[in-house]
Amino acid sequence: MRDLKGLYSALLCSFHEDGTINEKGLRQIIRHNIDHNKMDGLYVGGSTGENFMLSTEEKKRIFEIAKDEAKDDVTLIAQVGSINLKESIELAKFATDLGYDALSAVTPFYYKFSFDEVRHYYESIISDVDNRMIIYFIPFLTGVNISIPQFEKLFANKKIVGVKFTQGDFYLLERMRKAFPDKLIFAGFDEMLLPATVLGIDGAIGSTYNVNAARARQIYELTRANKISEALEVQHITNDLITDILDNGLYGTIKLLLAEQGIEAGCCREPMKPYTPEMRARAKEIYKKYF
Ligand code: SI3
């Protein structure tokens, strides 16, 4: 069984202007992450992949393309979460059959689900598949919080091996590290990679790693080697870059930065807006400034 620890790019999906998947572009992004960025793994079908705007068939096609292109070169995690539980169960089976190393599922969102309902959701997704599950915990987008005693209940299921922790609460992160030394914790905020690494994470999953992988690797390795001031220098540059990316539109700007490197990263999916000339021009400036 493959070790899941390490740094993952949250995989972007390339779309044509009409919103259909640009398979050639998607394959180029995957190869770039493996060959150039030297990532340990890819997190496929997450927020960065614009997953929650896609049909079931499109989600399956992206899982297929990623596995076909990556083969066994890197670790692959399939994000299968959806508020349509039947779809999540179907996608979990599909990704497991394709040979994905692990599954992940966002907490069910939009409705105010009770903890028992959240627990039922995770148990149902994994009950019929022989695979590992990483909880995708991102309360700032889902509004779903999970307490330490609730995590303990979820982690009682041996198939639930970890959490993608997209949260800026370092007290909670420290409490989780102490409470669950044998579970995997992946940091989800690229701008907080250094402090999360200090607190003993097992890896990180990020959108900006698609373009900023070398700096992310430096931050992670320098921090683990206790070279904190050197790591902080790199985190400062990284956070200047992330601030500029966020100001210009997160996923679109990362795609435009990839396009500067000759990758057909394409457009974002509606209702995300098309690129404006100003956004394109700003992305070129960002590229010149940081790369
Ligand atoms: O599922 C996903 O693709 C992720 O959540 C990846 C990751 O946690 C990113 N989160 C979101 C919501 O995009 C971060 O990498 C984030 O973009 C970055 O830290 C900038 O804030």
Side-chain angles (χ1 to χ4, degrees):
M1 202 184 291
R2 202 163 184 148
D3 181 6
L4 298 177
K5 293 179 181 171
L7 294 184
Y8 292 66
S9 278
L11 189 67
L12 296 153
C13 183
S14 177
F15 294 102
H16 294 290
E17 271 178 23
D18 66 3
T20 54
I21 296 168
N22 178 342
E23 179 168 332
K24 182 175 162 218
L26 175 56
R27 286 182 184 273
Q28 288 178 359
I29 298 172
I30 295 163
R31 287 256 60 90
H32 177 75
N33 273 302
I34 298 170
D35 301 334
H36 179 268
N37 290 347
K38 309 280 181 218
M39 299 311 291
D40 298 310
L42 296 173
Y43 187 80
V44 185
S47 317
T48 307
E50 298 169 59
N51 179 272
F52 305 111
M53 297 179 282
L54 306 183
S55 71
T56 310
E57 289 317 307
E58 288 171 322
K59 292 176 189 183
K60 286 184 175 174
R61 186 66 196 129
I62 290 167
F63 288 148
E64 276 175 343
I65 293 168
K67 181 63 185 173
D68 182 59
E69 192 60 49
K71 309 232 164 15
D72 290 323
D73 293 352
V74 292
T75 309
L76 290 179
I77 300 177
Q79 196 296 122
V80 301
S82 153
I83 57 166
N84 176 350
L85 178 54
K86 284 193 188 308
E87 182 193 39
S88 296
I89 293 169
E90 186 181 330
L91 291 174
K93 286 189 184 139
F94 188 79
T96 301
D97 289 346
L98 283 174
Y100 272 69
D101 300 289
L103 306 170
S104 182
V106 71
T107 50
F109 49 90
Y110 190 78
Y111 300 106
K112 299 272 176 226
F113 297 107
S114 68
F115 175 70
D116 283 346
E117 288 165 338
V118 172
R119 190 177 181 182
H120 170 73
Y121 163 89
Y122 283 107
E123 299 284 347
S124 305
I125 295 173
I126 51 180
S127 73
D128 289 337
V129 288
D130 183 17
N131 211 340
R132 296 168 283 179
M133 166 61 67
I134 293 158
I135 293 165
Y136 181 4
F137 177 60
I138 181 163
F140 94 99
L141 287 182
T142 58
V144 179
N145 270 294
I146 304 177
S147 66
I148 298 272
Q150 289 171 339
F151 268 115
E152 194 172 353
K153 285 184 182 154
L154 293 170
F155 285 152
N157 185 323
K158 295 281 176 278
K159 286 183 178 175
I160 304 185
V161 296
V163 58
K164 175 159 119 58
F165 186 89
T166 308
Q167 238 288 30
D169 180 344
F170 289 108
Y171 173 52
L172 180 60
L173 179 56
E174 180 276 331
R175 292 289 80 193
M176 291 201 38
R177 182 69 297 168
K178 170 120 192 310
F180 310 114
D182 300 329
K183 296 291 178 181
L184 298 169
I185 304 180
F186 295 95
F189 272 133
D190 316 358
E191 50 275 53
M192 302 179 205
L193 179 58
L194 189 162
T197 306
V198 170
L199 289 174
I201 52 165
D202 301 288
I205 298 167
S207 63
T208 62
Y209 303 163
N210 284 278
V211 284
N212 195 45
R215 290 193 190 100
R217 178 72 64 186
Q218 277 184 300
I219 295 166
Y220 190 57
E221 297 304 344
L222 286 168
T223 307
R224 278 152 54 98
N226 220 8
K227 296 181 178 170
I228 303 298
S229 51
E230 285 172 63
L232 187 56
E233 286 302 310
V234 189
Q235 185 77 70
H236 282 321
I237 300 166
T238 289
N239 287 4
D240 290 342
L241 166 66
I242 292 176
T243 302
D244 284 344
I245 289 176
L246 289 171
D247 283 350
N248 199 46
L250 178 59
Y251 305 128
T253 303
I254 299 174
K255 289 181 183 185
L256 289 168
L257 294 175
L258 285 172
E260 289 296 312
Q261 297 172 65
I263 294 160
E264 219 177 280
C267 309
C268 292
R269 182 74 173 249
E270 280 184 321
M272 288 189 186
K273 62 176 192 209
Y275 304 138
T276 60
E278 295 74 26
M279 189 178 172
R280 287 180 189 277
R282 182 70 189 126
K284 277 188 188 297
E285 286 170 11
I286 295 172
Y287 187 73
K288 277 199 196 112
K289 190 169 161 194
Y290 297 97
F291 298 101

